[in-house]
Amino acid sequence: MTKKELARQAVAALKEEYPGAVCSLEYQDPLQLLIAVRLSAQCTDARVNMVTPALFARFPTLEAFCEGTEEEIGELIRSCGFYNTKSKDILGMCKMIRDEFGGQVPDTIEELTRLPGVGRKTANLILGDVYHTPGVVVADTHCIRITGRLGLTDGTKDPAKVEEQLRPTLKVEMQLRQVLPPEESNDFCHRMVLHGRAVCMARKPDCPNCTLRPWCDFYTKS
């Protein structure tokens, strides 16, 4: 079986298992999603969803954020961790969107990754969820771990330590772009997160109940 055939099998299995492939972050517009994704770095989506209602109530528009201060934003996002850096990035990205992009969240990877605190993971997620452009959101430990275990990518030689190590995410992204159907790539990455949380955990995967077990290198070799 080729990697493209394997990818199609995995896409179909996960689609059946998780028909609702949506981002777990709560937002109302592209700017809110961009900010929520920045807050989610080294923080759970559940925690971000607890913080953003008050944040977006205080700063309901791009202009409101631009008129705010790092200190005020930081106080509202403190529980997400690294709040000083994140507040600086949020204020910086809002001002750049206002000053350089006409108040609209950019729609290309090149422009998005110019924004403070925005990497390829965030850019791909915005492209997929907002602009419906095929994106591969791989800077997530679940996606890197599971695609590595399936043999779709190089993954990691030690899946149990994927949470603790910096991964070459661009390489994984390029490998997945070569094998995933473009129209399925964004939802596939969302489903990877759901599957990684529920079944294919880093340290103790629930292989007997895994829908991907028939194609999993990690399972057959364990």
Side-chain angles (χ1 to χ4, degrees):
M1 181 183 296
T2 67
K3 287 189 176 182
K4 283 189 176 181
E5 292 169 337
L6 171 58
R8 285 196 292 269
Q9 296 278 10
V11 165
L14 289 175
K15 186 181 290 189
E16 183 175 352
E17 189 79 6
Y18 309 98
V22 296
C23 179
S24 57
L25 294 169
E26 297 172 359
Y27 63 97
Q28 298 296 321
D29 57 48
L31 179 64
Q32 288 189 359
L33 177 58
L34 184 64
I35 291 170
V37 177
R38 181 65 190 95
L39 292 176
S40 71
Q42 296 178 288
C43 180
T44 66
D45 289 356
R47 168 57 58 183
V48 173
N49 289 337
M50 293 172 63
V51 166
T52 50
L55 178 67
F56 296 148
R58 171 62 185 85
F59 302 104
T61 65
L62 176 67
E63 284 299 330
F65 270 108
C66 291
E67 293 171 3
T69 65
E70 291 180 26
E71 291 74 21
E72 188 175 7
I73 295 171
E75 282 302 310
L76 289 166
I77 66 172
R78 181 182 288 266
S79 65
C80 289
F82 301 96
Y83 64 93
N84 286 326
T85 300
K86 291 178 181 180
S87 63
K88 180 179 180 180
D89 286 344
I90 289 169
L91 186 58
M93 69 171 64
C94 287
K95 289 183 176 180
M96 184 178 286
I97 290 170
R98 179 194 63 187
D99 297 340
E100 299 188 30
F101 297 107
Q104 300 297 316
V105 173
D107 60 0
T108 69
I109 281 188
E110 292 75 19
E111 291 176 329
L112 283 163
T113 52
R114 286 181 55 205
L115 299 173
V118 175
R120 291 187 69 89
K121 170 191 174 180
T122 302
N124 273 304
L125 192 148
I126 296 295
L127 290 180
D129 282 30
V130 174
Y131 295 111
H132 309 295
T133 300
V136 181
V137 186
V138 303
D140 179 277
T141 55
H142 301 297
C143 185
I144 295 168
R145 179 176 68 252
I146 297 170
T147 58
R149 285 175 171 175
L150 288 172
L152 287 174
T153 66
D154 291 348
T156 172
K157 295 181 180 179
D158 189 353
K161 293 184 178 179
V162 72
E163 303 285 344
E164 305 167 4
Q165 301 175 18
L166 180 63
R167 296 288 129 211
T169 56
L170 179 58
K171 178 181 178 182
V172 175
E173 177 187 331
M174 294 301 107
Q175 290 174 339
L176 286 178
R177 285 186 182 277
Q178 292 174 7
V179 298
L180 285 173
E183 69 278 6
E184 299 285 357
S185 58
N186 195 63
D187 287 349
F188 177 79
C189 293
H190 283 319
R191 292 182 174 111
M192 285 277 112
V193 174
L194 296 174
H195 193 62
R197 290 172 178 168
V199 179
C200 191
M201 287 77 73
R203 302 183 186 281
K204 193 176 181 182
D206 186 9
C207 295
N209 292 310
C210 181
T211 190
L212 299 177
R213 188 176 69 247
W215 311 285
C216 182
D217 286 346
F218 178 82
Y219 173 72
T220 57
K221 294 175 182 178
S222 61

